[in-house]
Amino acid sequence: MGQNGSGFSKTGLRKVHDVLARSVDTGKIPGVVALFSRGDETHVETIGTMRHDGGDPLRRDTVFRMASTSKPVSVSAAMVLLDECRIHLDDPVEQWLPELADRQVLRTIDSPLDDTVPARRPITVRDVLTSTFGLGMDMTVIGTPVMNAVFEQGITPNLPEPMPGQDEWMRRLGTLPLMYQPGERWQYQIASDLAGVLVSRVTGRSYESFLRERIFEPLGMKDTGFHVPADQLHRLPPLYAPDPATGEFHVWDEAATGRHSTPPAFQGGGGGLNSTADDYHAYFKMLLDGGLHDGERILSRPAVELMTTNRLTPEQQAARQELALNNVHISFGQGQHGGWGLGMAVRTYRGDYAPVGQFGWDGGSGTSTYADPVNGIVGILLTQVGASAPYSIHLMHDFWTTLYQALDD
């Protein structure tokens, strides 16, 4: 799996610490937990406090809302089903998700909802797992009839009303036309939530119980799940959304009374997980080790390779590239990786300090999780600051920029 070198340099480690501490000292980030490893060498930095106005210090076992960094982890449940031949990549999904049979597709992206043509073919498992099934959160087409309908139906997270249970969610999804033909275009978010419903329908169990049995428990991920139990809520900081204009900190989600304090109606693989640095480290290390954890096989090596290498055709990739390169003022430079595997980004060109082949993803709650098979490193960066302002995303860039300088070869 690439060269493990001799780990990290002392000077480099000091730079990583300093750049994390600076973001806390300036008041932009209340606290940060960073965990990174190379081979058998692991380093942890915990700086700052649970709340913007002080309070208890963050700790290594602080629980964070993982937001979109849920995607690379939650997709593993579908990989178990592929490994066991309970689903196949080119199975039409309508046998489990009948709500998605006989789709209509918008004639153009800004067509009214009834200006459609029939789908050229059924939606497949592959379309869902690669985020190309035809519907997604496309921030470049806000205001079109179809995006308005997506919001009105309440099928995306972070709206005032939480998402409904999975059967009602599927019913609502089934009322919408597709934006694009199945397999035509990479689109964000909805496919990751849909993958969870697919797993639940195939197994006849809740998505979380299957993930827990097959992934979380074997990996020792004892703090990972779709809500934080009452007796552990003291470990969950509030989530802040700074005002984009003034930078003033607003609480977006309180711990004790917020969305993660009770089991949600919808177990969202796209952004619903809570976890810790060590739990996520165990998962990404397993991917780096080709599906093995302490000698036990969690996923097959080919399944891991499928997840962590680019699955997009040049045509599908063009849309993703367009989104990354022409939305930098909105995304603060996030998402410039080129490719996408299953549930995660994969670097296909060198756009910053990370090499081609690095895989993982970032979350809108201020989380960043990647592994790099070239250098044998895993990095986990966790904050409680949402991406309404660039603070947490700038910190991600600084973390990875300094971490790559710290490699001692």
Side-chain angles (χ1 to χ4, degrees):
M1 269 296 200
Q3 300 304 304
N4 275 339
S6 53
F8 303 96
S9 72
K10 283 204 166 46
T11 319
L13 290 171
R14 201 157 48 244
K15 269 178 103 166
V16 174
H17 169 84
D18 290 348
V19 85
L20 297 174
R22 191 172 68 209
S23 71
V24 175
D25 291 344
T26 59
K28 299 271 172 71
I29 304 281
V32 58
V33 175
L35 187 155
F36 49 97
S37 70
R38 192 177 197 200
D40 298 328
E41 186 183 333
T42 301
H43 297 272
V44 182
E45 294 277 358
T46 57
I47 304 172
T49 52
M50 294 282 279
R51 302 192 67 91
H52 180 54
D53 48 10
D56 293 335
L58 288 192
R59 304 186 345 186
R60 180 170 179 162
D61 71 347
T62 296
V63 177
F64 290 87
R65 299 162 191 76
M66 299 310 290
S68 286
T69 56
S70 302
K71 292 175 171 73
V73 173
S74 62
V75 74
S76 60
M79 307 314 290
V80 171
L81 297 179
L82 284 173
D83 272 346
E84 295 183 348
C85 302
R86 292 165 76 178
I87 58 175
H88 311 95
L89 285 169
D90 294 303
D91 286 343
V93 293
E94 59 203 46
Q95 54 191 302
W96 304 288
L97 307 172
E99 299 91 340
L100 296 182
D102 305 319
R103 293 290 80 197
Q104 291 289 310
V105 183
L106 290 178
R107 194 178 300 278
T108 68
I109 191 64
D110 39 22
S111 289
L113 297 186
D114 54 3
D115 180 20
T116 59
V117 297
R120 289 194 287 266
R121 62 164 177 81
I123 295 169
T124 64
V125 170
R126 186 188 303 272
D127 298 327
V128 173
L129 296 186
T130 54
S131 295
T132 59
F133 84 98
L135 272 172
M137 289 296 299
D138 188 343
M139 294 320 198
T140 62
V141 295
I142 295 280
T144 55
V146 70
M147 276 304 291
N148 290 344
V150 164
F151 290 127
E152 280 157 19
Q153 291 290 345
I155 54 175
T156 76
N158 303 328
L159 296 175
E161 277 296 300
M163 299 201 295
Q166 65 178 31
D167 292 346
E168 170 61 14
W169 187 85
M170 283 303 306
R171 186 196 68 73
R172 295 183 192 180
L173 195 65
T175 66
L176 300 174
L178 299 182
M179 296 172 174
Y180 298 99
Q181 289 286 345
E184 185 184 354
R185 193 180 176 103
W186 181 86
Q187 291 185 285
Y188 194 52
Q189 179 59 37
I190 296 177
S192 297
D193 284 330
L194 185 60
V197 181
L198 178 65
V199 167
S200 176
R201 294 266 182 94
V202 170
T203 59
R205 304 170 50 176
S206 85
Y207 184 32
E208 183 169 37
S209 71
F210 189 73
L211 271 168
R212 178 149 284 135
E213 182 197 328
R214 302 306 299 273
I215 303 294
F216 301 161
E217 282 176 3
L219 286 171
M221 297 171 69
K222 61 184 188 304
D223 289 313
T224 304
F226 289 107
H227 83 287
V228 180
D231 63 353
Q232 299 301 319
L233 275 170
H234 62 281
R235 292 165 56 198
L236 179 73
L239 176 63
Y240 294 100
D243 185 297
T246 65
E248 189 187 344
F249 272 66
H250 299 291
V251 175
W252 172 260
D253 189 58
E254 267 300 354
T257 54
R259 292 192 176 196
H260 295 261
S261 62
T262 52
F266 188 93
Q267 297 173 350
L273 289 176
N274 305 281
S275 193
T276 61
D278 279 293
D279 278 13
Y280 255 57
H281 183 242
Y283 179 79
F284 276 87
K285 194 99 174 81
M286 177 271 292
L287 294 183
L288 216 48
D289 293 339
L292 284 173
H293 173 74
D294 289 346
E296 184 190 351
R297 184 149 294 288
I298 309 293
L299 294 171
S300 70
R301 180 176 287 279
V304 172
E305 288 170 353
L306 204 57
M307 295 160 74
T308 60
T309 54
N310 181 42
R311 302 268 61 79
L312 301 184
T313 65
E315 294 75 25
Q316 293 166 339
Q317 215 164 333
R320 178 158 153 57
Q321 199 78 338
E322 171 72 17
L323 205 62
L325 296 179
N326 290 330
N327 256 15
V328 287
H329 57 299
I330 297 171
S331 66
F332 314 118
Q334 249 181 338
Q336 296 193 48
H337 312 76
W340 191 261
L342 304 180
M344 66 190 90
V346 179
R347 294 200 182 261
T348 54
Y349 69 95
R350 189 140 196 172
D352 56 29
Y353 284 32
V356 170
Q358 186 208 42
F359 55 82
W361 197 226
D362 306 306
S365 59
T367 55
S368 184
T369 57
Y370 288 87
D372 164 6
V374 180
N375 296 290
I377 61 177
V378 174
I380 315 283
L381 179 80
L382 305 174
T383 80
Q384 72 275 58
V385 180
S388 52
Y391 308 153
S392 57
I393 296 175
H394 285 165
L395 180 59
M396 291 172 200
H397 293 315
D398 292 348
F399 171 64
W400 291 106
T401 298
T402 49
L403 188 59
Y404 274 106
Q405 294 175 64
L407 297 182
D408 192 15
D409 290 332

mmCIF file with all atom_site columns, all heavy atoms in Angstrom, residues 225-240:
data_model
loop_
_atom_site.group_PDB
_atom_site.id
_atom_site.type_symbol
_atom_site.label_atom_id
_atom_site.label_alt_id
_atom_site.label_comp_id
_atom_site.label_asym_id
_atom_site.label_entity_id
_atom_site.label_seq_id
_atom_site.pdbx_PDB_ins_code
_atom_site.Cartn_x
_atom_site.Cartn_y
_atom_site.Cartn_z
_atom_site.occupancy
_atom_site.B_iso_or_equiv
_atom_site.pdbx_formal_charge
_atom_site.auth_seq_id
_atom_site.auth_comp_id
_atom_site.auth_asym_id
_atom_site.auth_atom_id
_atom_site.pdbx_PDB_model_num
ATOM 1   N N   . GLY A 1 225 ? -23.284 6.197  15.279 1.00 0.00 ? 225 GLY A N   1
ATOM 2   C CA  . GLY A 1 225 ? -24.686 5.863  15.065 1.00 0.00 ? 225 GLY A CA  1
ATOM 3   C C   . GLY A 1 225 ? -25.459 7.090  14.634 1.00 0.00 ? 225 GLY A C   1
ATOM 4   O O   . GLY A 1 225 ? -24.900 8.181  14.526 1.00 0.00 ? 225 GLY A O   1
ATOM 5   N N   . PHE A 1 226 ? -26.772 6.912  14.414 1.00 0.00 ? 226 PHE A N   1
ATOM 6   C CA  . PHE A 1 226 ? -27.599 7.995  13.882 1.00 0.00 ? 226 PHE A CA  1
ATOM 7   C C   . PHE A 1 226 ? -28.170 8.910  14.972 1.00 0.00 ? 226 PHE A C   1
ATOM 8   O O   . PHE A 1 226 ? -28.832 9.885  14.672 1.00 0.00 ? 226 PHE A O   1
ATOM 9   C CB  . PHE A 1 226 ? -28.713 7.434  13.004 1.00 0.00 ? 226 PHE A CB  1
ATOM 10  C CG  . PHE A 1 226 ? -28.197 6.895  11.693 1.00 0.00 ? 226 PHE A CG  1
ATOM 11  C CD1 . PHE A 1 226 ? -28.135 5.529  11.452 1.00 0.00 ? 226 PHE A CD1 1
ATOM 12  C CD2 . PHE A 1 226 ? -27.742 7.759  10.707 1.00 0.00 ? 226 PHE A CD2 1
ATOM 13  C CE1 . PHE A 1 226 ? -27.646 5.038  10.240 1.00 0.00 ? 226 PHE A CE1 1
ATOM 14  C CE2 . PHE A 1 226 ? -27.243 7.283  9.499  1.00 0.00 ? 226 PHE A CE2 1
ATOM 15  C CZ  . PHE A 1 226 ? -27.197 5.912  9.271  1.00 0.00 ? 226 PHE A CZ  1
ATOM 16  N N   . HIS A 1 227 ? -27.925 8.579  16.253 1.00 0.00 ? 227 HIS A N   1
ATOM 17  C CA  . HIS A 1 227 ? -28.211 9.552  17.314 1.00 0.00 ? 227 HIS A CA  1
ATOM 18  C C   . HIS A 1 227 ? -27.248 9.284  18.459 1.00 0.00 ? 227 HIS A C   1
ATOM 19  O O   . HIS A 1 227 ? -26.569 8.257  18.486 1.00 0.00 ? 227 HIS A O   1
ATOM 20  C CB  . HIS A 1 227 ? -29.677 9.486  17.767 1.00 0.00 ? 227 HIS A CB  1
ATOM 21  C CG  . HIS A 1 227 ? -29.960 8.417  18.780 1.00 0.00 ? 227 HIS A CG  1
ATOM 22  N ND1 . HIS A 1 227 ? -29.992 7.069  18.442 1.00 0.00 ? 227 HIS A ND1 1
ATOM 23  C CD2 . HIS A 1 227 ? -30.204 8.486  20.114 1.00 0.00 ? 227 HIS A CD2 1
ATOM 24  C CE1 . HIS A 1 227 ? -30.257 6.368  19.536 1.00 0.00 ? 227 HIS A CE1 1
ATOM 25  N NE2 . HIS A 1 227 ? -30.379 7.191  20.556 1.00 0.00 ? 227 HIS A NE2 1
ATOM 26  N N   . VAL A 1 228 ? -27.157 10.231 19.375 1.00 0.00 ? 228 VAL A N   1
ATOM 27  C CA  . VAL A 1 228 ? -26.272 10.097 20.529 1.00 0.00 ? 228 VAL A CA  1
ATOM 28  C C   . VAL A 1 228 ? -27.132 9.735  21.734 1.00 0.00 ? 228 VAL A C   1
ATOM 29  O O   . VAL A 1 228 ? -28.059 10.474 22.072 1.00 0.00 ? 228 VAL A O   1
ATOM 30  C CB  . VAL A 1 228 ? -25.494 11.410 20.787 1.00 0.00 ? 228 VAL A CB  1
ATOM 31  C CG1 . VAL A 1 228 ? -24.580 11.263 21.998 1.00 0.00 ? 228 VAL A CG1 1
ATOM 32  C CG2 . VAL A 1 228 ? -24.695 11.807 19.548 1.00 0.00 ? 228 VAL A CG2 1
ATOM 33  N N   . PRO A 1 229 ? -26.856 8.594  22.385 1.00 0.00 ? 229 PRO A N   1
ATOM 34  C CA  . PRO A 1 229 ? -27.673 8.185  23.540 1.00 0.00 ? 229 PRO A CA  1
ATOM 35  C C   . PRO A 1 229 ? -27.658 9.248  24.637 1.00 0.00 ? 229 PRO A C   1
ATOM 36  O O   . PRO A 1 229 ? -26.673 9.983  24.795 1.00 0.00 ? 229 PRO A O   1
ATOM 37  C CB  . PRO A 1 229 ? -27.002 6.891  24.030 1.00 0.00 ? 229 PRO A CB  1
ATOM 38  C CG  . PRO A 1 229 ? -26.188 6.396  22.879 1.00 0.00 ? 229 PRO A CG  1
ATOM 39  C CD  . PRO A 1 229 ? -25.798 7.612  22.075 1.00 0.00 ? 229 PRO A CD  1
ATOM 40  N N   . ALA A 1 230 ? -28.761 9.328  25.391 1.00 0.00 ? 230 ALA A N   1
ATOM 41  C CA  . ALA A 1 230 ? -28.929 10.381 26.409 1.00 0.00 ? 230 ALA A CA  1
ATOM 42  C C   . ALA A 1 230 ? -27.745 10.436 27.375 1.00 0.00 ? 230 ALA A C   1
ATOM 43  O O   . ALA A 1 230 ? -27.290 11.519 27.745 1.00 0.00 ? 230 ALA A O   1
ATOM 44  C CB  . ALA A 1 230 ? -30.231 10.162 27.172 1.00 0.00 ? 230 ALA A CB  1
ATOM 45  N N   . ASP A 1 231 ? -27.225 9.265  27.774 1.00 0.00 ? 231 ASP A N   1
ATOM 46  C CA  . ASP A 1 231 ? -26.141 9.273  28.770 1.00 0.00 ? 231 ASP A CA  1
ATOM 47  C C   . ASP A 1 231 ? -24.789 9.656  28.170 1.00 0.00 ? 231 ASP A C   1
ATOM 48  O O   . ASP A 1 231 ? -23.793 9.754  28.877 1.00 0.00 ? 231 ASP A O   1
ATOM 49  C CB  . ASP A 1 231 ? -26.053 7.916  29.485 1.00 0.00 ? 231 ASP A CB  1
ATOM 50  C CG  . ASP A 1 231 ? -25.710 6.769  28.540 1.00 0.00 ? 231 ASP A CG  1
ATOM 51  O OD1 . ASP A 1 231 ? -25.671 6.973  27.298 1.00 0.00 ? 231 ASP A OD1 1
ATOM 52  O OD2 . ASP A 1 231 ? -25.465 5.646  29.036 1.00 0.00 ? 231 ASP A OD2 1
ATOM 53  N N   . GLN A 1 232 ? -24.755 9.903  26.854 1.00 0.00 ? 232 GLN A N   1
ATOM 54  C CA  . GLN A 1 232 ? -23.512 10.336 26.193 1.00 0.00 ? 232 GLN A CA  1
ATOM 55  C C   . GLN A 1 232 ? -23.612 11.743 25.604 1.00 0.00 ? 232 GLN A C   1
ATOM 56  O O   . GLN A 1 232 ? -22.647 12.249 25.025 1.00 0.00 ? 232 GLN A O   1
ATOM 57  C CB  . GLN A 1 232 ? -23.139 9.348  25.066 1.00 0.00 ? 232 GLN A CB  1
ATOM 58  C CG  . GLN A 1 232 ? -22.897 7.923  25.547 1.00 0.00 ? 232 GLN A CG  1
ATOM 59  C CD  . GLN A 1 232 ? -21.778 7.835  26.561 1.00 0.00 ? 232 GLN A CD  1
ATOM 60  O OE1 . GLN A 1 232 ? -20.743 8.498  26.427 1.00 0.00 ? 232 GLN A OE1 1
ATOM 61  N NE2 . GLN A 1 232 ? -21.968 7.035  27.602 1.00 0.00 ? 232 GLN A NE2 1
ATOM 62  N N   . LEU A 1 233 ? -24.773 12.371 25.745 1.00 0.00 ? 233 LEU A N   1
ATOM 63  C CA  . LEU A 1 233 ? -24.982 13.689 25.109 1.00 0.00 ? 233 LEU A CA  1
ATOM 64  C C   . LEU A 1 233 ? -24.037 14.766 25.627 1.00 0.00 ? 233 LEU A C   1
ATOM 65  O O   . LEU A 1 233 ? -23.770 15.746 24.934 1.00 0.00 ? 233 LEU A O   1
ATOM 66  C CB  . LEU A 1 233 ? -26.433 14.147 25.292 1.00 0.00 ? 233 LEU A CB  1
ATOM 67  C CG  . LEU A 1 233 ? -27.423 13.618 24.240 1.00 0.00 ? 233 LEU A CG  1
ATOM 68  C CD1 . LEU A 1 233 ? -28.853 13.929 24.651 1.00 0.00 ? 233 LEU A CD1 1
ATOM 69  C CD2 . LEU A 1 233 ? -27.115 14.203 22.868 1.00 0.00 ? 233 LEU A CD2 1
ATOM 70  N N   . HIS A 1 234 ? -23.490 14.562 26.834 1.00 0.00 ? 234 HIS A N   1
ATOM 71  C CA  . HIS A 1 234 ? -22.532 15.545 27.363 1.00 0.00 ? 234 HIS A CA  1
ATOM 72  C C   . HIS A 1 234 ? -21.251 15.576 26.531 1.00 0.00 ? 234 HIS A C   1
ATOM 73  O O   . HIS A 1 234 ? -20.468 16.522 26.623 1.00 0.00 ? 234 HIS A O   1
ATOM 74  C CB  . HIS A 1 234 ? -22.201 15.220 28.824 1.00 0.00 ? 234 HIS A CB  1
ATOM 75  C CG  . HIS A 1 234 ? -21.558 13.875 29.009 1.00 0.00 ? 234 HIS A CG  1
ATOM 76  N ND1 . HIS A 1 234 ? -22.291 12.694 29.004 1.00 0.00 ? 234 HIS A ND1 1
ATOM 77  C CD2 . HIS A 1 234 ? -20.265 13.512 29.173 1.00 0.00 ? 234 HIS A CD2 1
ATOM 78  C CE1 . HIS A 1 234 ? -21.459 11.666 29.169 1.00 0.00 ? 234 HIS A CE1 1
ATOM 79  N NE2 . HIS A 1 234 ? -20.220 12.136 29.260 1.00 0.00 ? 234 HIS A NE2 1
ATOM 80  N N   . ARG A 1 235 ? -21.047 14.569 25.683 1.00 0.00 ? 235 ARG A N   1
ATOM 81  C CA  . ARG A 1 235 ? -19.847 14.517 24.834 1.00 0.00 ? 235 ARG A CA  1
ATOM 82  C C   . ARG A 1 235 ? -20.070 15.175 23.469 1.00 0.00 ? 235 ARG A C   1
ATOM 83  O O   . ARG A 1 235 ? -19.133 15.257 22.665 1.00 0.00 ? 235 ARG A O   1
ATOM 84  C CB  . ARG A 1 235 ? -19.428 13.052 24.622 1.00 0.00 ? 235 ARG A CB  1
ATOM 85  C CG  . ARG A 1 235 ? -18.918 12.392 25.899 1.00 0.00 ? 235 ARG A CG  1
ATOM 86  C CD  . ARG A 1 235 ? -18.847 10.884 25.764 1.00 0.00 ? 235 ARG A CD  1
ATOM 87  N NE  . ARG A 1 235 ? -18.027 10.471 24.638 1.00 0.00 ? 235 ARG A NE  1
ATOM 88  C CZ  . ARG A 1 235 ? -18.074 9.248  24.095 1.00 0.00 ? 235 ARG A CZ  1
ATOM 89  N NH1 . ARG A 1 235 ? -18.897 8.337  24.583 1.00 0.00 ? 235 ARG A NH1 1
ATOM 90  N NH2 . ARG A 1 235 ? -17.298 8.957  23.078 1.00 0.00 ? 235 ARG A NH2 1
ATOM 91  N N   . LEU A 1 236 ? -21.299 15.612 23.197 1.00 0.00 ? 236 LEU A N   1
ATOM 92  C CA  . LEU A 1 236 ? -21.632 16.223 21.898 1.00 0.00 ? 236 LEU A CA  1
ATOM 93  C C   . LEU A 1 236 ? -21.671 17.740 22.037 1.00 0.00 ? 236 LEU A C   1
ATOM 94  O O   . LEU A 1 236 ? -22.479 18.274 22.796 1.00 0.00 ? 236 LEU A O   1
ATOM 95  C CB  . LEU A 1 236 ? -22.997 15.706 21.426 1.00 0.00 ? 236 LEU A CB  1
ATOM 96  C CG  . LEU A 1 236 ? -23.528 16.249 20.092 1.00 0.00 ? 236 LEU A CG  1
ATOM 97  C CD1 . LEU A 1 236 ? -22.756 15.650 18.916 1.00 0.00 ? 236 LEU A CD1 1
ATOM 98  C CD2 . LEU A 1 236 ? -25.024 15.953 19.939 1.00 0.00 ? 236 LEU A CD2 1
ATOM 99  N N   . PRO A 1 237 ? -20.801 18.483 21.310 1.00 0.00 ? 237 PRO A N   1
ATOM 100 C CA  . PRO A 1 237 ? -20.881 19.948 21.395 1.00 0.00 ? 237 PRO A CA  1
ATOM 101 C C   . PRO A 1 237 ? -22.071 20.462 20.576 1.00 0.00 ? 237 PRO A C   1
ATOM 102 O O   . PRO A 1 237 ? -22.611 19.734 19.740 1.00 0.00 ? 237 PRO A O   1
ATOM 103 C CB  . PRO A 1 237 ? -19.566 20.407 20.760 1.00 0.00 ? 237 PRO A CB  1
ATOM 104 C CG  . PRO A 1 237 ? -19.123 19.283 19.893 1.00 0.00 ? 237 PRO A CG  1
ATOM 105 C CD  . PRO A 1 237 ? -19.747 18.014 20.401 1.00 0.00 ? 237 PRO A CD  1
ATOM 106 N N   . PRO A 1 238 ? -22.482 21.707 20.818 1.00 0.00 ? 238 PRO A N   1
ATOM 107 C CA  . PRO A 1 238 ? -23.470 22.297 19.902 1.00 0.00 ? 238 PRO A CA  1
ATOM 108 C C   . PRO A 1 238 ? -22.831 22.473 18.526 1.00 0.00 ? 238 PRO A C   1
ATOM 109 O O   . PRO A 1 238 ? -21.604 22.544 18.404 1.00 0.00 ? 238 PRO A O   1
ATOM 110 C CB  . PRO A 1 238 ? -23.791 23.653 20.531 1.00 0.00 ? 238 PRO A CB  1
ATOM 111 C CG  . PRO A 1 238 ? -22.687 23.946 21.476 1.00 0.00 ? 238 PRO A CG  1
ATOM 112 C CD  . PRO A 1 238 ? -22.034 22.652 21.849 1.00 0.00 ? 238 PRO A CD  1
ATOM 113 N N   . LEU A 1 239 ? -23.652 22.518 17.493 1.00 0.00 ? 239 LEU A N   1
ATOM 114 C CA  . LEU A 1 239 ? -23.153 22.821 16.150 1.00 0.00 ? 239 LEU A CA  1
ATOM 115 C C   . LEU A 1 239 ? -23.466 24.286 15.852 1.00 0.00 ? 239 LEU A C   1
ATOM 116 O O   . LEU A 1 239 ? -24.602 24.733 16.002 1.00 0.00 ? 239 LEU A O   1
ATOM 117 C CB  . LEU A 1 239 ? -23.830 21.931 15.104 1.00 0.00 ? 239 LEU A CB  1
ATOM 118 C CG  . LEU A 1 239 ? -23.458 22.214 13.643 1.00 0.00 ? 239 LEU A CG  1
ATOM 119 C CD1 . LEU A 1 239 ? -21.976 21.967 13.386 1.00 0.00 ? 239 LEU A CD1 1
ATOM 120 C CD2 . LEU A 1 239 ? -24.305 21.381 12.692 1.00 0.00 ? 239 LEU A CD2 1
ATOM 121 N N   . TYR A 1 240 ? -22.430 25.025 15.442 1.00 0.00 ? 240 TYR A N   1
ATOM 122 C CA  . TYR A 1 240 ? -22.583 26.447 15.157 1.00 0.00 ? 240 TYR A CA  1
ATOM 123 C C   . TYR A 1 240 ? -22.643 26.700 13.657 1.00 0.00 ? 240 TYR A C   1
ATOM 124 O O   . TYR A 1 240 ? -21.997 25.992 12.873 1.00 0.00 ? 240 TYR A O   1
ATOM 125 C CB  . TYR A 1 240 ? -21.407 27.230 15.745 1.00 0.00 ? 240 TYR A CB  1
ATOM 126 C CG  . TYR A 1 240 ? -21.368 27.212 17.249 1.00 0.00 ? 240 TYR A CG  1
ATOM 127 C CD1 . TYR A 1 240 ? -20.513 26.356 17.927 1.00 0.00 ? 240 TYR A CD1 1
ATOM 128 C CD2 . TYR A 1 240 ? -22.204 28.049 17.993 1.00 0.00 ? 240 TYR A CD2 1
ATOM 129 C CE1 . TYR A 1 240 ? -20.475 26.331 19.323 1.00 0.00 ? 240 TYR A CE1 1
ATOM 130 C CE2 . TYR A 1 240 ? -22.178 28.035 19.385 1.00 0.00 ? 240 TYR A CE2 1
ATOM 131 C CZ  . TYR A 1 240 ? -21.311 27.167 20.040 1.00 0.00 ? 240 TYR A CZ  1
ATOM 132 O OH  . TYR A 1 240 ? -21.283 27.140 21.411 1.00 0.00 ? 240 TYR A OH  1
#
